Amino acid sequence: GSSEASDVDKRQLEIQVVLNNKALALGQMVFIPILNDSVQIDRLRFYLSDISVSNSSVNQKNMGERFLLIDLENPSSLKRQLSLTKDHEWDSIHFKIGVDSATQMKGAQAGDLDPMHGMYWSWRSGYINFKCEGSSPICPARKNEFVFHIGGFQAPLNTIQSVTLPLHADTIVIQIDLTPLFTDVSVEQNYQVMSPSAKAVNFANQLPSLFRSIP
């Protein structure tokens, strides 16, 4: 009934992606100072999951959909509704990058986890947690293309990551800065990561540091 609705605070979660301090536009060359060259990103998709909020005494889970596929080709995926209970002042937001192993063990699923989104390998390898594809003149691959498909859910190659950020305002804005991903090593040596591997784990370990919440 209506009394239930009044206990819930609908907040918008907004995801922003930046590259070299500007909003990322797919298909555009962007100069990366550390590379002294340019990078073009053509595809960026990743899962955010198990979002919760907390303060010093309480943690609230179940704030909406459990798995969110963020896809830069689909602007509506960058703005999501979260349901927070009203009677608390929340100061932190927690989430995972990727899909947890218990869910992975169940195989392909529906909604944002539907394999039609191109984020599922197979029952053995599971979901791709983070996918980034593009090109750079210094990448030695065919057509200078780099392909980062980061996944793997079984130890020791589990790539899921946990993030905790401060919670500032009514709209929760989370920004991801991709710039640090593009190093000489990633673009000139490890430019094709397409299966669960030690390289995928190393790549995934960088991801939490790319996220920040914007007041």
Side-chain angles (χ1 to χ4, degrees):
S2 57
S3 62
E4 231 177 291
S6 63
D7 300 335
V8 171
D9 191 4
K10 288 277 188 199
R11 296 244 200 132
Q12 179 162 283
L13 170 67
E14 182 180 329
I15 306 296
Q16 299 176 348
V17 184
V18 298
L19 183 61
N20 199 30
N21 301 317
K22 294 192 185 69
L24 174 62
L26 294 178
Q28 288 188 4
M29 274 283 178
V30 177
F31 185 76
I32 307 289
I34 193 171
L35 284 183
N36 200 27
D37 214 323
S38 294
V39 161
Q40 174 177 316
I41 296 177
D42 297 314
R43 180 168 289 152
L44 180 74
R45 294 178 190 153
F46 54 90
Y47 281 108
L48 298 185
S49 62
D50 290 326
I51 299 173
S52 67
V53 289
S54 67
N55 57 34
S56 53
S57 53
V58 202
N59 187 317
Q60 186 206 333
K61 298 179 166 70
N62 305 327
M63 298 172 48
E65 290 290 330
R66 200 177 152 207
F67 299 98
L68 304 181
L69 177 59
I70 309 300
D71 180 356
L72 240 67
E73 289 170 80
N74 174 14
S76 65
S77 75
L78 306 178
K79 295 192 172 173
R80 305 291 189 126
Q81 285 283 326
L82 299 180
S83 302
L84 281 62
T85 48
K86 268 196 177 146
D87 45 351
H88 297 289
E89 285 290 316
W90 303 111
D91 55 30
S92 299
I93 184 166
H94 316 269
F95 55 87
K96 296 194 178 84
I97 309 165
V99 180
D100 65 292
S101 56
T103 302
Q104 298 260 25
M105 300 292 275
K106 297 175 187 164
Q109 293 172 61
D112 277 15
L113 293 178
D114 193 311
M116 72 169 192
H117 299 300
M119 295 292 282
Y120 188 69
W121 277 317
S122 66
W123 63 271
R124 182 176 299 228
S125 300
Y127 283 90
I128 299 169
N129 291 330
F130 182 94
K131 176 183 274 197
C132 180
E133 299 172 3
S135 60
S136 172
I138 63 167
C139 179
R142 197 169 79 76
K143 295 186 181 170
N144 304 113
E145 288 172 346
F146 55 80
V147 183
F148 301 120
H149 293 182
I150 307 304
F153 65 95
Q154 290 164 327
L157 302 179
N158 189 355
T159 53
I160 196 165
Q161 300 291 323
S162 297
V163 179
T164 294
L165 297 171
L167 200 55
H168 298 291
D170 290 343
T171 301
I172 303 166
V173 181
I174 293 178
Q175 193 175 81
I176 304 106
D177 181 1
L178 298 181
T179 317
L181 292 179
F182 297 101
T183 63
D184 291 344
V185 171
S186 66
V187 181
E188 293 185 279
Q189 293 166 37
N190 300 337
Y191 50 83
Q192 273 200 328
V193 183
M194 298 172 70
S195 59
S197 61
K199 283 181 182 175
V201 172
N202 290 339
F203 191 103
N205 287 341
Q206 303 177 74
L207 295 176
S209 66
L210 309 183
F211 285 72
R212 54 181 174 249
S213 53
I214 306 291

